[in-house]
Amino acid sequence: MKVAVVGATGMVGEVMLKVLAERNFPITELLLVASERSVGKQLNYKGEAHTVIGLQTAVDAQPDIAIFSAGGDTSLDWAPKFAEAGTTVVDNSSAWRMDPTKKLVVPEINASELTAEDKIIANPNCSTIQLVMALNPLHKKYQMKRVVISTYQSVSGTGVKAVKQLENEMAGIQGEMAYPYPINRNALPHCDVFLENGYTKEEMKLAREPQKILDDRKFSISATAVRIPTSGGHSESVNVEFQNDFELSEVRKLLNETSGVTVQDNPDTNTYPMPIYAHDKDDVFVGRIRRDETQRNTLNMWIVSDNLRKGAATNAVQIAEYLVENKLV
Ligand SMILES: NC(=O)c1ccc[n+]([C@@H]2O[C@H](COP(=O)([O-])OP(=O)(O)OC[C@H]3O[C@@H](n4cnc5c(N)ncnc54)[C@H](OP(=O)(O)O)[C@@H]3O)[C@@H](O)[C@H]2O)c1
């Protein structure tokens, strides 16, 4: 496979290269792509130096697959150009996710929807992926009615500039700000931009993307997204009301049996998921599983995952693997 990684110099791009190498993705030629600022820079893949190229050079090389993590505007402008050149694009930005003509894919849930005609495939939002990984088996069994979620999101979810802001603040250095306020020792109820309805774009992604991935609009999701000064992964407090009642033991069993989900849940031993331990792992970790005692058929849980891995790079590479294994590219 001739593979282009667009946004190779970024936070997700760096992890993308790591995941491609770890999973031994069948690459015959690798094209590392970034903005004009980075053209000519050297990046390593499997111990070999590669020179960063620009977008037009990459389109002209007609890769089989291009994995984009370079922001929505770059995807809107360039994904169609790659697609026209015959490349299948897997896109990490929000540009195409809610486009009814594009598939929004978490491979464990809906990769079977993919066909060779899908030339631009959307990777869901990082917070959405870990949420639906845990909700999917429970929804199938008990049918969700309503989900209320509050997130505790890592600065790595914003990109290199935000990680730098946190590092600078921790070291007492005045530097460039990714956020309107300090993030160290703070919590910002503000992820992505505010919309007219008073919610942020991140909150509306969490409300809408799961319905598309699970192909069901009969449940609703209400979200509050908060940025906190962690860098290992995103955490989510999730309250789910189901149509049908459940046994906690069966909920744990269903989650345990789900590929890509690990249950860490034992109050006796202080066992619960935490971002510092989810860092650099592919699984979605679920704990604090308990019945909501104020409402029928309702569950509380705590979901943690590395936003740069299953929330971005790993999910995108799994999509690419599915395309290759099923001869769709
Ligand atoms: N961070 C996460 O947890 C996460 C999770 C899921 C999805 N995403 C999405 O992935 C994308 C990248 O996020 P990130 O956190 O990696 O951001 P980042 O660290 O800021 O990196 C951005 C990357 O995009 C490249 N880029 C920017 N403008 C470009 C242009 N005009 N042409 C070509 N390349 C351009 C940058 O290249 P230069 O170095 O040359 O500027 C860099 O490689 C975003 O769309 C984001 O929404 C991020």
Side-chain angles (χ1 to χ4, degrees), residues 7-13 34-35 37-38 55 69-72 74 92-93 97 126 156-160 307-308 311-312:
T9 51
M11 204 90 229
V12 176
S35 78
R37 295 179 287 276
S38 303
L55 280 154
S69 317
T74 307
N92 262 303
S93 81
R97 289 180 193 151
C126 41
S156 65
T158 314
V160 277
N307 50 294
L308 294 173

Side-chain angles (χ1 to χ4, degrees), residues 162-298:
V163 175
K164 193 74 201 153
Q165 178 181 335
L166 176 60
E167 285 170 359
N168 281 343
E169 287 174 12
M170 288 168 76
I173 298 166
Q174 283 275 356
E176 217 186 329
M177 301 276 282
Y179 302 117
Y181 296 100
I183 184 66
N184 190 29
R185 303 197 297 163
N186 207 358
L188 307 181
H190 178 182
C191 297
D192 209 333
V193 294
F194 280 99
L195 302 173
E196 268 186 14
N197 65 358
Y199 286 81
T200 60
K201 204 170 163 190
E202 185 82 356
E203 289 161 351
M204 294 317 293
K205 291 174 202 166
L206 274 161
R208 294 193 176 129
E209 292 179 16
Q211 296 182 333
K212 180 166 175 177
I213 299 162
L214 302 180
D215 192 23
D216 190 342
R217 272 136 191 97
K218 291 195 293 296
F219 63 86
S220 52
I221 299 187
S222 183
T224 303
V226 181
R227 190 76 61 192
I228 59 163
T230 50
S231 58
H234 291 347
S235 307
E236 301 177 336
S237 165
V238 182
N239 179 272
V240 199
E241 183 187 2
F242 296 104
Q243 300 278 7
N244 304 308
D245 203 5
F246 54 83
E247 289 296 332
L248 282 178
S249 56
E250 194 181 41
V251 166
R252 288 201 181 88
K253 187 165 176 282
L254 283 170
L255 289 169
N256 253 328
E257 287 169 359
T258 302
S259 168
V261 174
T262 297
V263 174
Q264 296 179 328
D265 193 26
N266 187 352
D268 293 342
T269 54
N270 294 340
T271 302
Y272 36 75
M274 286 173 275
I276 201 170
Y277 301 117
H279 178 62
D280 226 11
K281 303 208 170 76
D282 285 322
D283 267 17
V284 171
F285 299 94
V286 187
R288 301 296 320 281
I289 299 166
R290 63 216 191 272
R291 195 173 272 283
D292 180 340
E293 294 181 340
T294 69
Q295 187 166 265
R296 288 179 63 220
N297 304 349
T298 305

Side-chain angles (χ1 to χ4, degrees), residues 142-154:
Y142 310 114
Q143 182 67 52
M144 293 187 298
K145 268 170 80 175
R146 181 166 186 259
V147 179
V148 180
I149 171 170
S150 297
T151 68
Y152 302 67
Q153 297 187 210
S154 141

